[in-house]
Amino acid sequence: MSADSTPSDASVKNRLSLGDASVSYHHLAVGSLAVLMTTYLSVLFHVTDIVGGTTTLLGLVAATLLAGTLIARRLRPKQAVVLAAVLLALGLVGYYLAVPSAYLVAMSLGKVVSDNVALLTGLSVLRMTEVGAWALGVAPAMVFAPWYLVLRRRYALAVGAAGTAMGFFVLTGDLSSFLTLVGMLAVTATLGFGTLARRGGTPEQVDTLAVVLVAMILLASTVTLVPGGGASPILPGGGGTPTVEDAFVSNGERMSIVGSIRLSPKVRFTVESEEPGYWRVGAYDRYDGNGWIRTGEARDYGPQPAPPGRSRAVEQTVTVKAERMAAMPAMWRPTRLESGDRDNTRVSPLGAFDPVGALREGEQYTVVSRVPDPSERQLRDAGTDYPARIENRYLQLPGSSEDRIRQRTNRVVEAADAETPYEKATAIEGWLESNKSYSLEVSRPDGNIAESFIFEMESGYCTYYATSMVTMLRSQGVPARFAVGYVSGQRVAEDEWVVRGLDSHAWVEVYFPDVGWVRFDPTPGGPREQAESSQIEAARQSNVSNVDTDESEEGTWTPTTTETTTVSGGNETTSPDGNATTVPSTPASGGLGDRQPINPGRGASNETFGGFTTTSGGTVGEEEDDESGGIPIGPPSREQTILGGLVAVGLLAAGRRSGTLERLRRAVWLRWQPREDPETDVSRAFDRLEYLLGREHRERRPGETPREYLTALEETTDLDDRATRVGSIYEQVRYAGDADDGLADEAVSLVDELVSDRRGLLGAR
Amino acid sequence: MTEANPPTRRTDPNPDPLPVDEAAAVADRVVENVERVIVGHHDVTEHIVTAILARGHLLLDDVPGVGKTMLARSLARSIDCEFSRVQFTPDLMPTDVTGVNVFDERTREFEFRPGPVFGNVVLADEINRAPPKTQSALLEAMEEAQVTVDGETYKLDQPFTVIATQNDVEADRTYELPIAEIDRFAKRLTLGYPSPEDESEVLRRVTGGHPIEELDAVATAEEVIAARETVADVTAEEAVRDYVTRLANYTRDHADLGVSPRGSIALLRSAQARAVLDGRDYVVPDDVQSEAEAVLAHRVRTGAESAAQSGRELIAEALDSVPVE
């Protein structure tokens, strides 16, 4: 024990006793720190779960903990600092060795700095291409430093070290708010127990610590219930229903999969193209169970190579109709911009063109794409001779669910008697199309999305289909990635398509050696288009603005010969005829049904469509977003009631422990005197006076008579005459039995005056 | 003869009580008057006056020659009543105190010749030097306010206050008073040696004529008796009675022998007298505190187990620890 621990009385101990069991505060602090370390190590664990290396990480952490425990007593702090720095440096060197050399060449000091700034402003570590190597590199230092410090009883420093690590992941956004809360509780507990361990503590102090922790939990879970607050880290609910485009075509580096979505019927852009296609916005390579992440860095614009296999050139001219659009949809694979602002265009790591910032309404660009055009035979014969960079990047799966998905996929593949990657892909595609039904109303499952969709969910929309297909393919060793964009939309002229928000879509790209990325779409086409067209019609009927361009209003252009869009290697056919003519068959209410958000916490939000019909003048078409931002204020929910009760109990406990409650009671007692009989009144008035004087000068000693007390105060201080008078009234009433209402009134009002003179109505203490 | 003749002048035994302020004035005058002779013993003088008003008797513990007799004589003279003095000696007989029936040759009858106890202020000097039998004769008189001689009972005239003195110097030649008898004294007081200033003042006063010779009465016996009625009427509310009880209980819990109920009664009476001295017709805890040491200290026996070394210490401790409510 350190020198400053000087327990002065028996109740101050270095151990917490609970009945027969007793735990030293030091061990409690170590335990709390372990929890803290667990929070950020869970991020590293999650990372390695996705990219591989979990076993190595666990071994590394265990070895570091063991080594730290063994050498903690022998190593001096300075040596430990050096050791931690060396560990960190070694880990980072290891990481840089793992990074592809092409990337290293491009690296400069400024780039390293800007990368780190990007990380600390919410860029997930998962976006690092070699995040697995990074996680293994930093883990020993992150484990050793806090562990060594806490074993040396340097609690504050240990928390500082661990807190820095946790703070890093908080800033990168990888630590969920729940884990952040747990981490903060662990920080508090470590510091609290550490202090108790150093200075000795009483059971009351442990109580106080417990109250603080409970208050933290309660505040963290209730403050977010305040109207306008963000989502609660503990309670479900909150947040609005996202639109599909919010969900996946804003083209961010990270795409979270959500529950129910709405599809906007507004026109986003028009395309002039020789042929229809999927207007691709971007793709994602890394799947973390909750959503998709695009790793790597965007590059400046430059002409892109064509796919390795046979391809044909398609020129598309896109005119933006939305207010702003942060993407440049084009068929895969875009190779060059014929017109448009090249300086403000970048090339994403997965080959899409992106505007810097966003395109404005009316802006136009022309892009030339090389669309892969393989024959089915080519695809069947493509083989599995994948380049290493493809294998490294597009076969990663969260390890925790990999086996289960693989087993199911094996059955699917075997049932279809599929052997080549192409056969596997079509088998999986077919299985998903036929076994899951299409619906926009989905409550987002907890945990791994793909696993839930494959094994539990009955229905979902494109994101779920595509995500599941990618994971199933990867489990079979077939490189695949998740792509988002728009389907071709409404054909309004021979070479013109109108694309609306509800055309947004997600699909799968599968890599074939010597062919490149080939599109597969596991989402059933029919139901999706039905939902789409019925919504357009519904929106038209309610005069939502911007549903149509001039051409699209006039109806869909029908080619003289039935045109069939054949997806490369695909078995999906899209009939533009059906697209246009199914409108009346679905009543408007059906469309409404699709739009309804399901979030049970927000009963008010399904009013939107009613709003449309009543304001049929059509001037407020813009108001399609029903996310008004306000939270309906109604009677508190059960959770709120329970939480409110918990808060009240916690506050009461804290109040009692801190004496606040007693002070409050005292303050009320001092200011408010209910009247009873004169004797009681006078006695209480005198008690109040005594309390007042006790606070101001000194308390009356036990054997001291009221008279002695007041006389003594009179001699040593300038005692108020009113106090003397109250004293004599008290004496008279108490000892002479002269209780009458007049005296009682006088005494009470004198004391009231004295109290308000000294304390005011709300004075402290 | 069955009914004893009153041997001295008698006073009305049941006068109407004086108003409190008049009673207080009587007491003040007496104290002031006594202090014209007695120098530097204001507290003791007040205690004696309250004892007289509370119908109590006093025990003075002292070395010889500090003015005990002078105090008693000035008191008697101030209230215009009989002063008598008995010097207790080892050969003193009970009848020497109470009086004796003497056969009258002329009338052929026994005639009662009252002893020194038939005075209003009786100074019993060195009471511990007389044998217990004689002591108890005096104590009976104190307790009952009457004496019985040869089967005849004689009422003592009121006011009647015994001021007994003890001499602690020659312990081997004394009969120490039993605790049961000491308990009958309302108060035990100590004069002690005067301070140098007081002593030189004493010396100044005795040069020439002794001041006591010039002392006039400032109150009548009737007034004293009426003031006693006033004291008896003084209110003692439950809070005060309770306080007295708790003080007594404290001594019982913290000493081998605590205060007897007789002691509690004496304390409450003295407190009543003290209230009158202060011009009040109700007792406050302060009165109790002023009287507690003089009234209680001699009634307790501290033992090896008590923290307090003496009765005085124990009472001081009780006053400090027993809360006033």
Side-chain angles (χ1 to χ4, degrees):
Chain A
M1 197 61 220
S2 54
D4 57 352
S5 74
T6 49
S8 51
D9 65 81
S11 66
V12 175
K13 289 179 188 147
N14 295 322
R15 307 178 72 78
L16 171 66
S17 300
L18 295 166
D20 294 338
S22 128
V23 194
S24 86
Y25 292 126
H26 173 63
H27 289 148
L28 287 171
V30 172
S32 308
L33 187 85
V35 171
L36 173 57
M37 286 165 62
T38 309
T39 61
Y40 61 78
L41 288 177
S42 74
V43 173
L44 294 182
F45 179 82
H46 180 61
V47 163
T48 53
D49 184 44
I50 295 168
V51 302
T54 306
T55 329
T56 321
L57 177 75
L58 289 180
L60 208 52
V61 168
T64 315
L65 285 178
L66 188 66
T69 313
L70 289 178
I71 62 175
R73 291 188 179 282
R74 310 215 182 102
L75 207 63
R76 287 212 302 275
K78 273 186 185 168
Q79 298 168 318
V81 168
V82 173
L83 182 60
V86 167
L87 282 176
L88 187 63
L90 279 178
L92 291 179
V93 166
Y95 165 63
Y96 282 116
L97 290 179
V99 169
S101 52
Y103 182 70
L104 284 181
V105 168
M107 210 168 64
S108 65
L109 185 65
K111 181 133 177 59
V112 170
V113 170
S114 70
D115 279 0
N116 282 311
V117 168
L119 276 177
L120 293 181
T121 48
L123 198 65
S124 168
V125 289
L126 284 169
R127 291 210 44 233
M128 290 196 269
T129 317
E130 294 300 328
V131 66
W134 180 84
L136 295 178
V138 294
M142 279 182 172
V143 171
F144 175 75
W147 192 246
Y148 167 82
L149 287 166
V150 78
L151 290 181
R152 296 284 290 201
R153 295 173 190 269
R154 301 294 187 88
Y155 304 106
L157 287 175
V159 165
T164 308
M166 188 182 87
F168 176 79
F169 289 117
V170 169
L171 288 178
T172 62
D174 287 300
L175 203 60
S176 70
S177 21
F178 176 74
L179 281 179
T180 310
L181 174 64
V182 171
M184 287 320 293
L185 292 173
V187 164
T188 314
T190 311
L191 285 176
F193 286 126
T195 310
L196 292 180
R198 285 183 78 93
R199 304 190 186 283
T202 61
E204 288 74 23
Q205 288 168 321
V206 180
D207 276 3
T208 310
L209 185 58
V211 165
V212 168
L213 293 177
V214 167
M216 285 173 71
I217 297 171
L218 288 175
L219 285 179
S221 41
T222 48
V223 164
T224 46
L225 289 178
V226 172
S232 160
I234 290 176
L235 291 185
T241 309
T243 64
V244 173
E245 288 165 298
D246 286 343
F248 50 74
V249 287
S250 59
N251 200 22
E253 262 79 15
R254 180 170 196 138
M255 204 208 84
S256 295
I257 297 174
V258 295
S260 298
I261 51 171
R262 297 178 297 109
L263 294 167
S264 163
K266 292 188 183 183
V267 173
R268 296 303 179 198
F269 56 93
T270 61
V271 185
E272 283 173 49
S273 168
E274 299 146 28
E275 55 178 276
Y278 277 29
W279 321 118
R280 184 181 181 276
V281 163
Y284 297 88
D285 54 343
R286 179 166 288 164
Y287 173 62
D288 70 351
N290 291 316
W292 288 93
I293 298 148
R294 184 184 305 135
T295 65
E297 287 293 310
R299 300 181 299 274
D300 287 340
Y301 171 79
Q304 297 299 307
R310 191 156 65 91
S311 63
R312 57 190 146 76
V314 179
E315 189 181 282
Q316 308 134 71
T317 301
V318 177
T319 311
V320 179
K321 298 289 186 188
E323 257 179 61
R324 60 196 300 281
M325 193 166 78
M328 294 172 81
M331 289 166 76
W332 178 254
R333 163 173 205 178
T335 50
R336 60 176 202 278
L337 271 181
E338 286 289 307
S339 72
D341 190 352
R342 291 182 187 179
D343 291 341
N344 281 318
T345 302
R346 292 170 68 77
V347 181
S348 84
L350 300 189
F353 288 159
D354 285 332
V356 177
L359 299 175
R360 298 284 160 187
E361 186 173 353
E363 274 193 80
Q364 207 173 46
Y365 61 90
T366 305
V367 64
V368 176
S369 297
R370 300 288 296 192
V371 180
D373 192 14
S375 66
E376 191 174 324
R377 185 183 174 77
Q378 261 180 312
L379 292 175
R380 286 186 192 283
D381 296 346
T384 54
D385 190 13
Y386 303 114
R389 60 181 177 87
I390 297 288
E391 276 194 329
N392 285 343
R393 198 165 181 182
Y394 297 108
L395 289 177
Q396 290 173 357
L397 272 183
S400 48
S401 59
E402 198 178 346
D403 287 346
R404 200 174 167 208
I405 293 177
R406 176 176 295 124
Q407 284 165 13
R408 168 59 63 95
T409 313
N410 284 345
R411 288 214 301 275
V412 170
V413 168
E414 281 162 20
D417 202 16
E419 282 174 14
T420 64
Y422 173 74
E423 282 165 355
K424 286 174 180 172
T426 48
I428 293 166
E429 192 182 54
W431 182 80
L432 283 170
E433 276 185 355
S434 51
N435 283 288
K436 303 287 171 187
S437 61
Y438 182 84
S439 170
L440 289 174
E441 295 177 45
V442 176
S443 56
R444 187 199 182 286
D446 293 329
N448 191 316
I449 298 288
E451 191 180 3
S452 301
F453 188 69
I454 294 169
F455 292 99
E456 286 143 31
M457 294 167 69
E458 297 281 314
S459 58
Y461 50 88
C462 49
T463 316
Y464 289 83
Y465 283 97
T467 302
S468 302
M469 182 164 170
V470 174
T471 53
M472 289 171 90
L473 281 171
R474 286 185 179 184
S475 77
Q476 297 297 312
V478 180
R481 64 189 186 189
F482 178 87
V484 295
Y486 295 81
V487 294
S488 34
Q490 183 187 3
R491 189 170 195 170
V492 294
E494 185 175 0
D495 63 347
E496 189 169 355
W497 281 265
V498 169
V499 184
R500 297 185 172 81
L502 42 71
D503 291 318
S504 51
H505 193 40
W507 60 89
V508 178
E509 286 175 344
V510 182
Y511 187 83
F512 292 91
D514 300 325
V515 174
W517 293 100
V518 175
R519 163 158 51 87
F520 284 79
D521 189 347
T523 312
R528 199 193 70 74
E529 284 151 12
Q530 219 167 40
E532 175 185 335
S533 53
S534 64
Q535 281 183 43
I536 296 176
E537 189 52 31
R540 277 184 186 142
Q541 280 174 4
S542 46
N543 283 345
V544 176
S545 69
N546 215 359
V547 172
D548 286 304
T549 60
D550 294 341
E551 298 94 333
S552 70
E553 233 164 349
E554 290 157 13
T556 298
W557 177 84
T558 311
T560 46
T561 55
T562 304
E563 179 174 307
T564 305
T565 309
T566 308
V567 179
S568 322
N571 51 3
E572 174 184 89
T573 53
T574 306
S575 158
D577 283 337
N579 197 3
T581 52
T582 52
V583 171
S585 65
T586 316
S589 60
L592 176 62
D594 280 348
R595 297 164 52 87
Q596 275 178 355
I598 318 209
N599 190 332
R602 300 195 27 165
S605 47
N606 56 4
E607 300 296 324
T608 315
F609 204 79
F612 284 161
T613 46
T614 51
T615 57
S616 50
T619 52
V620 286
E622 275 305 306
E623 300 311 312
E624 68 158 335
D625 286 344
D626 60 4
E627 290 166 73
S628 52
I631 292 222
I633 297 179
S637 70
R638 202 177 58 194
E639 287 87 350
Q640 284 168 321
T641 315
I642 292 170
L643 276 168
L646 276 174
V647 169
V649 169
L651 285 180
L652 279 179
R656 198 186 53 183
R657 179 56 72 201
S658 67
T660 313
L661 215 58
E662 174 59 21
R663 281 208 291 277
L664 195 67
R665 195 192 65 74
R666 198 42 104 159
V668 171
W669 173 86
L670 190 60
R671 283 166 184 78
W672 181 69
Q673 176 166 6
R675 300 296 295 270
E676 290 171 37
D677 55 285
E679 200 178 336
T680 318
D681 290 348
V682 171
S683 280
R684 182 162 161 189
F686 185 76
D687 285 350
R688 291 162 66 205
L689 174 73
E690 223 184 300
Y691 175 78
L692 205 61
L693 295 176
R695 281 294 183 164
E696 206 163 309
H697 306 296
R698 64 168 176 85
E699 286 179 18
R700 183 157 71 96
R701 288 187 282 269
E704 202 172 21
T705 67
R707 178 182 286 228
E708 277 172 343
Y709 177 57
L710 291 176
T711 312
L713 288 188
E714 222 165 13
E715 280 162 7
T716 53
T717 64
D718 49 342
L719 189 65
D720 201 308
D721 287 343
R722 288 174 291 189
T724 321
R725 173 67 188 146
V726 173
S728 69
I729 292 176
Y730 173 70
E731 205 168 62
Q732 210 174 330
V733 169
R734 181 132 176 90
Y735 301 124
D738 293 347
D740 74 60
D741 288 336
L743 284 176
D745 289 345
E746 187 182 350
V748 173
S749 64
L750 281 175
V751 175
D752 283 347
E753 278 175 31
L754 285 167
V755 169
S756 63
D757 280 4
R758 271 141 228 256
R759 296 295 173 80
L761 273 178
L762 295 168
R765 291 193 296 185
Chain B
M1 139 178 158
T2 53
E3 179 75 339
N5 284 326
T8 52
R9 67 189 168 107
R10 298 206 69 99
T11 47
D12 178 5
N14 291 310
D16 289 335
L18 287 178
V20 171
D21 50 345
E22 283 181 35
V26 168
D28 279 351
R29 287 205 301 274
V30 173
V31 170
E32 198 180 306
N33 208 47
V34 170
E35 286 189 320
R36 289 170 66 183
V37 177
I38 305 299
V39 182
H41 292 298
H42 179 75
D43 287 351
V44 174
T45 314
E46 269 193 358
H47 269 304
I48 293 174
V49 172
T50 56
I52 291 171
L53 294 182
R55 303 166 203 240
H57 306 278
L58 299 135
L59 183 61
L60 287 181
D61 257 352
D62 251 319
V63 289
V66 289
K68 296 182 294 266
T69 314
M70 201 53 66
L71 181 61
R73 279 180 64 194
S74 345
L75 197 62
R77 206 177 253 260
S78 300
I79 57 177
D80 189 22
C81 56
E82 281 306 307
F83 170 76
S84 62
R85 179 174 189 272
V86 199
Q87 177 65 49
F88 278 51
T89 55
D91 56 356
L92 192 73
M93 303 297 286
T95 48
D96 293 338
V97 176
T98 56
V100 65
N101 282 316
V102 178
F103 186 70
D104 191 327
E105 296 285 344
R106 199 162 41 80
T107 58
R108 314 293 298 170
E109 280 180 350
F110 281 96
E111 189 190 353
F112 182 68
R113 190 172 290 172
V117 81
F118 286 88
N120 296 107
V121 176
V122 179
L123 180 65
D125 229 355
E126 297 188 284
I127 187 175
N128 55 342
R129 296 188 67 183
K133 196 172 180 182
T134 313
Q135 288 175 353
S136 66
L138 176 70
L139 293 165
E140 189 214 334
M142 282 161 50
E143 187 72 10
E144 315 285 339
Q146 62 188 22
V147 291
T148 307
V149 177
D150 297 339
E152 292 285 349
T153 300
Y154 303 94
K155 287 260 175 212
L156 294 178
D157 198 13
Q158 290 296 333
F160 170 64
T161 296
V162 174
I163 301 175
T165 72
Q166 281 197 105
N167 185 351
D168 291 342
V169 180
E170 298 155 302
D172 52 333
R173 294 164 69 185
T174 57
Y175 300 92
E176 201 190 341
L177 285 177
I179 188 83
E181 300 190 346
I182 281 194
D183 201 25
R184 299 185 189 205
F185 288 98
K187 296 179 180 180
R188 180 188 203 170
L189 299 167
T190 306
L191 283 175
Y193 289 114
S195 65
E197 297 80 37
D198 288 345
E199 188 160 1
S200 66
E201 174 66 16
V202 170
L203 295 180
R204 188 191 66 75
R205 289 189 189 179
V206 296
T207 46
H210 196 283
I212 195 157
E213 306 302 335
E214 296 154 21
L215 210 57
D216 295 322
V218 291
T220 63
E222 285 77 13
E223 280 178 318
V224 172
I225 290 167
R228 283 181 161 187
E229 297 299 323
T230 314
V231 167
D233 284 349
V234 163
T235 310
E237 278 287 311
E238 193 186 343
V240 173
R241 297 199 300 270
D242 186 54
Y243 180 51
V244 170
T245 315
R246 280 185 288 119
L247 283 176
N249 272 317
Y250 182 90
T251 66
R252 289 166 203 162
D253 292 344
H254 293 82
D256 287 358
L257 179 67
V259 171
S260 61
R262 178 165 30 207
S264 304
I265 296 168
L267 179 56
L268 191 62
R269 283 214 182 133
S270 303
Q272 284 177 308
R274 181 63 71 167
V276 169
L277 225 64
D278 202 30
R280 262 180 292 109
D281 61 355
Y282 56 90
V283 181
V284 295
D286 304 77
D287 301 325
V288 177
Q289 292 191 345
S290 308
E291 296 293 323
E293 187 192 304
V295 177
L296 301 183
H298 63 287
R299 300 171 198 264
V300 296
R301 284 284 175 275
T302 56
E305 285 173 28
S306 17
Q309 295 292 310
S310 65
R312 283 165 193 249
E313 270 183 35
L314 181 69
I315 301 305
E317 199 181 287
L319 290 179
D320 276 348
S321 356
V322 177
V324 180
E325 283 167 3

